[in-house]
Amino acid sequence: MPNSSPAPTTSFASIEVVDRPWFPYLCTEVEHWEWRTSGDGHYNFWMALSGEGYLRCETQTFRIFPGAFFIFSPKQHISAAHYSGPRITRFSAHFHPLKNGRRMTEIENFPLLGGEVQSLSLAQRQIDVIMRIALRRDDDAVLAQKLHEFIAQCTGQRGIIAEAALNPRISEALRIFREAPASVDSITQIAQKLGVSRSHFDREFTQQIGQAPKQFLINCKMIEARRYLESSHLRVGEIAEALGYKDIYFFSRQFKQLVGQSPIQYRKALQ
């Protein structure tokens, strides 16, 4: 008789699903998505099914990619963003871990940051089952059981990436590019600020992010440009200046190359 693998287990016996009927939640985010939270009173299971981006939790920054998952503990400060490529589709569920019918306040090995499932297709099928149950709204006990089994399986795989967190230098560069792209006069300036040579920084950034820092910075500036075009009455020249461009025509060419429309065409399409 073949040996059967034991069922995955967790340090808690069951869960209580929080924020029904809105969670569990499966969605594809907007193209230039950002997410911030200052913490909630529950745990949060979060998994990316498509798209790539970056997630910051407290002092660490992690890549978001298909199959990456996180379990956030209550009150953690989290932010995430997507800057290029396919949009991010993600699954998330809020829960309280239970033991002997009581909520647990501390869980061994949680928070769990930078996990990776071994089979994304299997995870997607399991999420489909969970979402079908969730949408019925009358099977919360079954929903909690299936969600607990899914969390146990993900954490039991121990598919934790040894170097999931980005190098602190790269994390700081990402923060600058995201939060203040107009302040960056040159990539060399950033490399010097971080205490490395330009060539070393280019190599390290490209290796960890999968994109050269110059292109990533341009993407960040174009995201900001789109926000200005969508939510302000600034003229195109004023937007270019606000993003550190001295040549409006160069700015417009870069915008069209990445977005497929000129800034004026993009704004008109919104009306």
Side-chain angles (χ1 to χ4, degrees), residues 247-263:
D247 185 340
I248 182 176
Y249 300 106
F250 180 62
F251 163 72
S252 295
R253 283 199 304 272
Q254 281 196 339
F255 187 93
K256 188 171 184 178
Q257 285 173 351
L258 268 74
V259 180
Q261 296 175 303
S262 71

Side-chain angles (χ1 to χ4, degrees), residues 44-48 55 62-72 91 110 112-118 150-151 153-161:
N44 181 11
F45 179 92
W46 196 100
M47 177 182 288
L55 184 147
F62 301 84
R63 284 184 56 227
I64 296 172
F65 57 89
F69 72 89
F70 304 81
I71 301 179
F72 305 114
F91 169 79
F110 281 9
L112 191 155
L113 307 175
E116 180 180 10
V117 292
Q118 294 175 355
F150 182 55
I151 293 171
Q153 178 174 312
C154 291
T155 57
Q157 290 175 3
R158 297 300 176 197
I160 308 306
I161 311 161

Side-chain angles (χ1 to χ4, degrees), residues 153-174:
Q153 178 174 312
C154 291
T155 57
Q157 290 175 3
R158 297 300 176 197
I160 308 306
I161 311 161
E163 297 178 355
L166 299 180
N167 179 291
R169 281 193 298 269
I170 304 305
S171 176
E172 176 62 11
L174 285 175

Side-chain angles (χ1 to χ4, degrees), residues 226-238:
R226 289 163 71 169
R227 289 179 179 144
Y228 278 125
L229 291 166
E230 292 167 3
S231 60
S232 80
H233 297 290
L234 292 175
R235 295 191 296 269
V236 173
E238 293 172 324

